[in-house]
Amino acid sequence: MNLTLHVWRQKGPQDKGKLVTYPAKDVSSDMSFLEMLDEVNDKLIKEGKDPIAFDHDCREGICGMCSSVVNGRPHGHQEKTTVCQLHMRQFEDGADIVVEPWLAKAFPIQKDLIVDRSALDVVMQAGGYTSCHTGGVPDANSQLIPKEIADFSMDAAECIGCGACIAACPNSSAMLFTSAKVSQFAVLPQGKAEAKVRVLEMTKAMLDEGFGNCTNHYECQEACPKGINVKFIATLNREYLKSFI
Amino acid sequence: MAVTGFMLVCFISVHLLGNLSVFFGVDAINIYAEKLHSLGPVVWIFRMAILLLFAVHITFGIQLTVENSSASPEAYAIKKRLKTTFAAESMIYTGLIILVFLLYHLLHFTVHVVHTDAVSAVQTLVNGRPDVFTMIGKSFNSAFISIVYVIAMCALFLHLSHGLQSFIQTFGLNNGKTQDTVTAIGKLAAIFYGLAYIAIPLAFLFHIVKI
Ligand code: HEM
Ligand code: FES
């Protein structure tokens, strides 16, 4: 396949940045999107040019490092797929592809497609933990948890923290991320001890880090590579109200 | 936002019920208006409460919009709309249209300083009561006034078509099973409010209800 890429290039946090056009020739349709970028970079390096900087790690859709807005959609147009798992067969030969970084005030651009997502860590540190006993290892399943509750918690815990929800949100709100992190603990007995503090601290950290407020557009759910449902946002709101009782 | 939004919805529901009495003849709405006025100070307490609601809702609405646009200062070269709606994206604009309309509406039917020829009808007594019915009817016989009201009610419809499901979500009353139903009911209810309010000016404009 032959493609034309329009990639966001920005030398550093202070640089203005712009879209630069690159041809991607003889791309195999079996390549992942990141492998395609690797090849473009190989060529740039051979020409003595600065390669396109992008985040990645596992390349199997589980770590949440990869992060690009492809043709106006975080992680590209394939549903529930990270951009590292997006394959070139999803594109038409000859297509124009626009690649941009996550855009949000809380995610300053470091270089090209790499943004600083440590704001999400700050939200997590504010309350994304549970207290537990030290000492001997407890027996597995010593605490009985109904299946639906375990499922609900696991569905929330599917969040890989990539930040696509923020990239998709017109308000750059981190509500889906925060709600998933709050919900995964809120419904479990282990999470009850800090339930009140957790929701208050995490939502506070979210706003302090410069994320916007949720106005229920639900763009996040559609963009999420793990299909995290906005029902968790309702759960967060419920936990938030409960914390005042 | 959600608390004041919900209370405003309660207000527009009661207000709509009262207004729909124009479809039950001259006396119905005149009796309703007379009753309201006879409550004296209670009416004023309600009016102040509603104005306060609007003020809080608008202040938070503007603050929310400012905060959110400062959280997302940069725009993508291309951005696909995935799930959101025109109504959701234009909440602040439809809200401001409603605000301007509200001021006009108060000047028109409450303070009686615009369209004085039409609203002067309220000075005549019919069956011993101020003739609110004819005041409304004469006003809406004017195409200009009717169109202004219809436009404003379209804005209200858009505002509610996002707002109704939004406050359910904000109050945390949703779960995975109710989400789509709540959104659908919110839209249907918004259509209902819109059509019911629009029916009043149009009924007079097209002489379906005669003065
Ligand atoms: C009859 C009048 C009005 C009613 C019934 C109403 C109702 C509502 C409701 C139910 C919500 C959703 C609340 C939430 O879930 O958080 C809302 C949001 C909002 N309203 Fe109003 N509203 C009215 C007038 C206004 C006015 C005059 C403004 C003027 C600025 C305004 C601006 C907003 C804004 C900015 C939002 C939040 C936007 C968003 O969720 O994206 N509204 N309104
Ligand atoms: S690189 Fe790990 S999820 Fe894409």
Side-chain angles (χ1 to χ4, degrees):
Chain A
M1 314 168 67
N2 292 312
L3 306 157
T4 310
L5 304 183
H6 307 274
V7 185
W8 187 260
R9 299 305 307 263
Q10 181 171 335
K11 290 200 178 71
Q14 311 309 333
D15 187 38
K16 246 182 78 61
K18 60 176 190 301
L19 285 174
V20 178
T21 303
Y22 300 98
K25 293 223 165 66
D26 300 323
V27 173
S28 152
S29 61
D30 293 332
M31 280 180 184
S32 74
F33 197 83
L34 300 189
E35 284 169 331
M36 182 276 295
L37 286 181
D38 288 338
E39 296 237 321
V40 172
N41 275 346
D42 264 354
K43 197 158 158 282
L44 287 177
I45 292 168
K46 278 184 194 129
E47 290 167 2
K49 292 185 185 145
D50 193 21
I52 302 162
F54 60 89
D55 258 333
H56 62 104
D57 190 4
C58 70
R59 297 209 176 192
E60 53 185 37
I62 57 172
C63 76
M65 270 311 272
C66 57
S67 45
S68 297
V69 175
V70 179
N71 285 341
R73 284 190 69 148
H75 292 300
H77 62 281
Q78 195 182 2
E79 272 182 30
K80 296 195 192 172
T81 309
T82 54
V83 70
C84 61
Q85 286 292 301
L86 177 67
H87 286 81
M88 297 317 294
R89 52 182 166 272
Q90 302 293 335
F91 296 88
E92 307 254 315
D93 190 19
D96 274 64
I97 306 178
V98 178
V99 195
E100 297 176 83
W102 287 175
L103 289 184
K105 192 178 79 184
F107 287 163
I109 297 178
Q110 300 300 295
K111 189 171 194 288
D112 301 340
L113 303 173
I114 298 183
V115 300
D116 179 358
R117 283 171 284 178
S118 38
L120 294 183
D121 300 334
V122 176
V123 175
M124 203 57 192
Q125 284 154 7
Y129 54 83
T130 61
S131 298
C132 64
H133 297 289
T134 55
V137 180
D139 283 341
N141 298 326
S142 57
Q143 285 235 32
L144 293 181
I145 296 167
K147 174 92 166 81
E148 312 87 77
I149 300 214
D151 283 351
F152 185 91
S153 178
M154 283 303 285
D155 286 349
E158 257 200 275
C159 168
I160 55 175
C162 64
C165 44
I166 293 118
C169 176
N171 309 325
S172 297
S173 171
M175 197 72 155
L176 191 65
F177 168 81
T178 311
S179 73
K181 301 305 176 192
V182 165
S183 304
Q184 72 189 28
F185 297 125
V187 293
L188 296 180
Q190 293 91 334
K192 298 286 187 228
E194 291 91 1
K196 279 188 182 187
V197 190
R198 178 180 307 113
V199 66
L200 292 175
E201 292 296 321
M202 289 182 85
T203 41
K204 182 172 175 302
M206 172 179 89
L207 296 176
D208 289 348
E209 286 303 303
F211 293 110
N213 309 285
C214 174
T215 53
N216 303 324
H217 290 271
Y218 310 143
E219 292 285 281
C220 49
Q221 172 182 299
E222 301 306 300
C224 178
K226 297 294 147 185
I228 305 287
N229 194 284
V230 291
K231 72 181 177 195
F232 296 117
I233 296 181
T235 305
L236 179 144
N237 289 334
R238 216 153 46 227
E239 288 294 312
Y240 192 84
L241 291 175
K242 269 199 319 210
S243 74
F244 292 105
I245 308 173
Chain B
M1 234 27 310
V3 175
T4 52
F6 172 68
M7 286 159 96
L8 286 173
V9 171
C10 294
F11 162 67
I12 61 162
S13 308
V14 176
H15 193 52
L16 177 65
L17 280 180
N19 293 354
L20 287 179
S21 62
V22 296
F23 291 109
F24 298 96
V26 184
D27 282 333
I29 189 144
N30 289 355
I31 293 173
Y32 167 67
E34 194 186 34
K35 266 265 151 25
L36 268 189
H37 280 255
S38 69
L39 297 175
V42 180
V43 181
W44 277 104
I45 293 171
F46 265 100
R47 281 178 173 168
M48 287 303 126
I50 292 158
L51 283 183
L52 187 71
L53 270 185
F54 268 105
V56 174
H57 188 77
I58 293 163
T59 314
F60 280 160
I62 293 173
Q63 191 192 342
L64 186 68
T65 311
V66 170
E67 277 178 18
N68 284 349
S69 56
S70 92
S72 53
E74 241 93 38
Y76 292 103
I78 322 181
K79 181 72 171 71
K80 294 251 159 65
R81 184 191 281 168
L82 305 177
K83 178 122 182 165
T84 191
T85 55
F86 172 73
E89 286 175 334
S90 52
M91 285 300 271
I92 187 68
Y93 305 109
T94 50
L96 289 174
I97 293 173
I98 298 170
L99 172 64
V100 172
F101 165 75
L102 180 71
L103 298 174
Y104 165 79
H105 181 53
L106 290 179
L107 291 177
H108 180 194
F109 281 144
T110 309
V111 196
H112 301 161
V113 294
V114 290
H115 311 304
T116 38
D117 42 338
V119 294
S120 61
V122 79
Q123 259 113 45
T124 25
L125 297 185
V126 169
N127 301 331
R129 285 178 286 262
D131 194 5
V132 173
F133 179 84
T134 309
M135 166 177 84
I136 297 173
K138 265 193 164 172
S139 297
F140 290 146
N141 277 340
S142 141
F144 172 78
I145 302 179
S146 284
I147 288 169
V148 170
Y149 275 74
V150 169
I151 292 173
M153 291 308 108
C154 291
L156 179 68
F157 152 70
L158 284 172
H159 202 80
L160 291 177
S161 78
H162 176 69
L164 290 175
Q165 61 83 26
S166 178
F167 86 73
I168 300 282
Q169 172 81 351
T170 305
F171 281 144
L173 298 174
N174 253 338
N175 63 39
K177 292 190 202 94
T178 57
Q179 214 98 46
D180 291 341
T181 322
V182 164
T183 305
I185 293 176
K187 286 197 177 131
L188 283 178
I191 293 174
F192 167 77
Y193 280 109
L195 287 181
Y197 268 117
I198 285 172
I200 299 167
L202 292 190
F204 284 107
L205 184 63
F206 296 116
H207 302 290
I208 299 163
V209 177
K210 294 189 181 60
I211 49 173

